Amino acid sequence: MRQSCVALLAMAPVVLASTTTTWEMNNYQDFLRGRFANVALGRDGRLMLAPNLEPVFASGQPAIWSVAAAPDGNLYLGTGHRGRLYKVDPAGKSSLVWTAEQPEIFALAVDARGTVYAGTSPDGRIYRIENGSVKEFFNPGVHYIWALKFGPDGALYAGTGDHGRVFRITMDGKGQVWYESGQSHISSLAFDSEGRLLAGSDPNGILYRITGKNKAFVLYDANLPEIRSILPNADGTLYVAALGGSTAKRAGTTYGVTTGAQGSVVSAPGTSITVTDSQAGGDIATSKADQTKTQLQPAATVVQPVQVIDVTGVEKSAIYKIHPDNTVETLWSSKDENIYDIAVIDDRLMFATDLQGRIYRLGRERKATLVAQTGEAETTRLLPSPAGLLASTGDMGSIYRLGKGTASHGTFEAPVHDANTVARWGRLSWRAETPQATGAAFRTRSGNSARPDNTWSDWSEPLTDPAGSLIRSPNARYIQWRLELTSTNVATPSVDSVIAAYLPQNTPPTVRSITVSTQTNAAAQKTTAAAATPAANSAFSITVTDSGDAPQTSAGTPTQTLARNAGQQTQIVWQADDSDGDHLAYSIYFRGEDEHDWKLLRSNVFENSLNIDSDVLADGRYYFRVVATDRPSNPVEYARESELVSSPVLIDNTPPVVHFAAPVQSGTMADLTVTATDQTSPLRRGEYSLDAGPWIPVEAADGVTDSPSESFGFRLEKLRPGEHLLVFRAYDAAGNAGLSKLVLK
C-alpha cells in the first residue's frame, strides 16, 4: 500500500510530506462522537445493526415532557411550550385532546378507568380530563407540577416545585401537603414494591422514602442536583437516575418563579415573555420591551428566567442501584450526557440522554451499549409497551418505538477529521468480526470547511474491500466517512476498527526572526542553540522579523552597527518553526552592501545560532540570510524551504583617527583644536583628560557630533606653570575609541 501511495504522489499537484498519517477509530469513545441511524455501538467498540427505531407520532411541538399509558392501550402525551395534550391510539392515530391555558404539561397520570390527570406549569394546577370534558381537579397553590403518581390507596400524589412539596389528593379533589421536603422541587415520584412512596428532589439530589404524612427517611443523598427518575423492582431494589439540573432547564423554559407583591408578572432583563391564555391565542408571545408586565392571575407571583450553567469536564449524570439494605452502587456515570429517564425491557436496564436523543442499554457488567439515536436534542421519557420501548423526544416533540427486531439497514457517520492541511487520501481499511461476510460498505467525502456544506464533495461510490479501498474523494483538509450496514442472509455485519491513510501537504518552514549581536568569546561559548535574544554584554543588537513591520523612524529603518573589539565574536541567532513538526536544517549566508552574490558561512546547521570570529569580516555594511529546509524529514523532491534576510549590519573594527592642531597659548590659557575621522561609521562622542584627570565631554564645533569627520574646539584655563599631558578620545558609532595626546609646556 505504501508503494501505491508514493506512486500516486508523482501525479499530485501539491507537495506532500513523505510520512503517511492515519486516522484510526477503534474504540467505544471514538465511535461515540459520530451520528447513528439504526446502528448500535457495543461497549467493546463494535458497530452493528440496531433494533428498529420507528417514528410513531410527531406533535410539531418543541418537546414532549410527559407520557402516560391508559388501560385501553391509548397513549397520552403532554407537550411544551403550548401546553397541549395528545392521544395516540394503538394503531398510531393521533388526536389533540386539550390545549391548556398554561404552556407546559410536565406531568400526566391515568387511573384504572382511563381518566387522565394533567399537571400544568408555571401556574401549577391539576386538571381531570374525562370523556372530552376538562375540569380543574386540584389547585395546590404552587408554580410547578413535576410528577403525578397514583398510590396503592387510590389517591393521586403530586410532586411540586418552588417549595418542594408532595401533595396527596383524594378522588373528590381534596388535597393536603403530605410531605414538606425543604427542597426547591420534588422532581420525581414512584412507589416501591411495598407500596411506600419514593420522592426525588432538586437541587440537593435527595431521595426520600415517605411512609406517612410528614414521615420520611433519606434513602440516598446524591452528589448531583436532581433525582430525575426512580424505577422500583419487585425484589426491592431501586434504579435511580440523577443529573445536573434538568429541572432548572425545564423551569427555564417556563420561567423560574419568585414571589412578588402585585400579581403574576413575566419579565426579564432586556426581553420579556408574556404568557397569554389559550382563548387569546394560546401561544407564548415575546416582545423586546424591557419592562413589559402582564397580569395573569390574582396570585402574587413574579416569573423570571432561570439561568442554567453547563460545566463541561465534571460528572453530569449517573445511574445508582439502591439495594434493599440501603447500600448504593453506581452503575453508570457520564461527564458528557444528561440522563433523562430509565426503563426495564427484557430484564435489561434502558436509559435515555440528551446527546442527540440517545437510548442506551446497560449490560450486566455495567457496560453501556448505544442502542439507538433519535437525532433530536434529547430523549425525555421511556415507556415500555407490548410493541416495544416507546421514547419521547424534545426538539421535534416526537414519539419513537424501539422494536424487538433488528433493522435491515443502518448508517453511521464518523465525525469530521482535520488533516491540518490539504492532504492526498490513501486507502480506507476496516476490521470486521467476520471478514468474509458482506453487508458493510463505506463512502467518503471531503472539503475545506470545518463543517460539511454544499462546498464539500458528494459522497463517493461505495468502498467494499476491508483490506483497503482507495479513497476517491478530492484532496482537501477535511474528510469524513460513512458506514452503511445491510443485513444479509449470510451474517449480520459489524465493524470494530476503521483506518484512513493520507499524506498531508508538506508545509514549508518559517523563519521568524534573525538577531545579530556581539559576544565575548566566553559568553559565546555559554550561549545555547535555543537562545532567542542577544547576550547581556552585546554592544549593539537589532532584531528583524518576517512581519514586514520593521521599526521605523523619520529617517527610515536604522542600520545596525557592531563593534569588533579584540576577543569578540559575532553571534547570529534565528527563530524558525515548521507546522508539520518536521526537523529543520539551516544554511547561513552573508554579503556586503556593495556585493551581488551571497557567500555561504555554514550549511547543515541543526541549531538555531552561529558564532563567527570578529576578524573574518572587514569594516562595512553586511546582510545575513538564514535558509531553513525540512529536508531531514522529507525526500529531496518533496522538501520545502524558506528564508529571511536581516536588515543591514554595520561592522566597524577600526577606531577613529584623532589629530591635534597646534595649540594657541596665552599665559595660563590654551585654545585647542582637534579633528577626528572614522572611515566606517559616524562619530558619537568626544572628550579630553588633562593630566590623567576625569574625562570632560566636548561637543563638535558644529554643535552635533554625528559625522564621520568632526572638529572639536575647547579652551583650557588657569593652567599651572610647567608641563601638562592632554589626551583627547573620540568614539565612533560602534564604540571604537581613537586617542591622541599632546604635551603642553
Side-chain angles (χ1 to χ4, degrees), residues 530-550:
T533 59
N537 63 344
S538 300
F540 299 90
S541 69
I542 187 169
T543 301
V544 57
T545 70
D546 66 347
S547 66
D549 297 326

Side-chain angles (χ1 to χ4, degrees), residues 523-715:
Q525 292 171 0
K526 295 179 181 178
T527 303
T528 65
T533 59
N537 63 344
S538 300
F540 299 90
S541 69
I542 187 169
T543 301
V544 57
T545 70
D546 66 347
S547 66
D549 297 326
Q552 299 291 319
T553 68
S554 59
T557 303
T559 298
Q560 178 183 2
T561 305
L562 296 182
R564 294 299 174 192
N565 297 327
Q568 287 192 328
Q569 290 187 328
T570 296
Q571 184 187 54
I572 308 166
V573 179
W574 57 92
Q575 290 181 320
D577 56 64
D578 188 279
S579 59
D580 299 328
D582 291 340
H583 295 293
L584 300 180
Y586 306 99
S587 296
I588 299 87
Y589 299 82
F590 79 97
R591 69 173 176 84
E593 186 178 42
D594 56 349
E595 300 169 5
H596 180 269
D597 296 334
W598 290 99
K599 288 82 175 174
L600 179 65
L601 274 174
R602 297 286 190 279
S603 62
N604 291 325
V605 176
F606 295 96
E607 299 178 340
N608 288 75
S609 67
L610 176 67
N611 296 322
I612 59 176
D613 292 336
S614 61
D615 296 332
V616 298
L617 298 175
D619 292 359
R621 292 174 182 267
Y622 292 88
Y623 294 89
F624 294 91
R625 182 177 69 163
V626 175
V627 179
T629 177
D630 58 9
R631 188 182 62 255
S633 297
N634 296 274
V636 174
E637 61 269 30
Y638 302 132
R640 306 289 298 274
E641 66 179 34
S642 65
E643 64 178 46
L644 185 64
V645 177
S646 72
S647 59
V649 176
L650 181 60
I651 293 179
D652 186 357
N653 282 331
T654 306
V657 175
V658 179
H659 177 71
F660 276 99
V664 178
Q665 293 180 276
S666 177
T668 61
M669 181 177 64
D671 290 318
L672 286 304
T673 300
V674 181
T675 58
T677 303
D678 192 90
Q679 297 299 317
T680 307
S681 60
L683 300 177
R684 287 290 181 257
R685 189 168 82 240
E687 56 192 7
Y688 70 88
S689 171
L690 182 63
D691 294 334
W695 291 101
I696 308 299
V698 180
E699 201 57 68
D702 61 4
V704 180
T705 307
D706 59 355
S707 300
S709 181
E710 294 284 3
S711 177
F712 300 87
F714 56 97
R715 174 175 290 179

Side-chain angles (χ1 to χ4, degrees), residues 95-315:
S95 59
L96 176 63
V97 176
W98 172 57
T99 299
E101 295 182 359
Q102 295 297 302
E104 314 294 332
I105 300 177
F106 286 134
L108 288 175
V110 182
D111 66 14
R113 298 182 305 166
T115 303
V116 181
Y117 296 81
T120 63
S121 300
D123 184 19
R125 301 183 183 216
I126 301 173
Y127 294 86
R128 178 163 57 194
I129 301 96
E130 186 175 17
N131 298 324
S133 174
V134 180
K135 295 182 179 179
E136 183 178 307
F137 177 63
F138 181 65
N139 181 2
V142 298
H143 295 294
Y144 298 104
I145 308 294
W146 294 119
L148 294 174
K149 189 70 66 174
F150 279 101
D153 57 358
L156 180 64
Y157 291 82
T160 69
D162 59 334
H163 294 295
R165 296 167 180 163
V166 177
F167 287 83
R168 180 181 182 274
I169 308 129
T170 58
M171 288 300 94
D172 57 1
K174 296 180 180 179
Q176 60 178 320
V177 176
W178 195 244
Y179 184 70
E180 182 92 44
S181 70
Q183 296 285 292
S184 297
H185 305 277
I186 295 296
S187 52
S188 55
L189 294 174
F191 284 89
D192 66 13
S193 57
E194 297 182 22
R196 296 171 295 187
L197 178 62
L198 306 171
S201 71
D202 176 282
N204 294 121
I206 298 175
L207 176 65
Y208 300 92
R209 183 170 62 205
I210 303 171
T211 55
K213 181 176 172 54
N214 294 325
K215 294 182 180 179
F217 176 77
V218 174
L219 281 176
Y220 187 57
D221 185 354
N223 60 357
L224 288 164
E226 178 189 352
I227 302 297
R228 168 67 166 168
S229 182
I230 309 166
L231 183 63
N233 274 352
D235 61 1
T237 61
L238 304 175
Y239 293 110
V240 177
L243 75 163
S246 170
T247 295
K249 291 182 179 180
R250 288 180 289 161
T253 302
T254 57
Y255 339 114
V257 182
T258 57
T259 301
Q262 297 297 326
S264 289
V265 179
V266 182
S267 64
T271 301
S272 71
I273 304 175
T274 304
V275 180
T276 63
D277 83 14
S278 60
Q279 313 223 343
D283 294 344
I284 302 176
T286 62
S287 71
K288 295 294 184 182
D290 289 343
Q291 299 296 332
T292 301
K293 297 183 179 181
T294 302
Q295 186 74 26
L296 295 180
Q297 301 291 340
T301 57
V302 176
V303 185
Q304 298 175 338
V306 171
Q307 181 181 8
V308 180
I309 300 175
D310 187 12
V311 180
T312 59
V314 298
E315 188 176 87

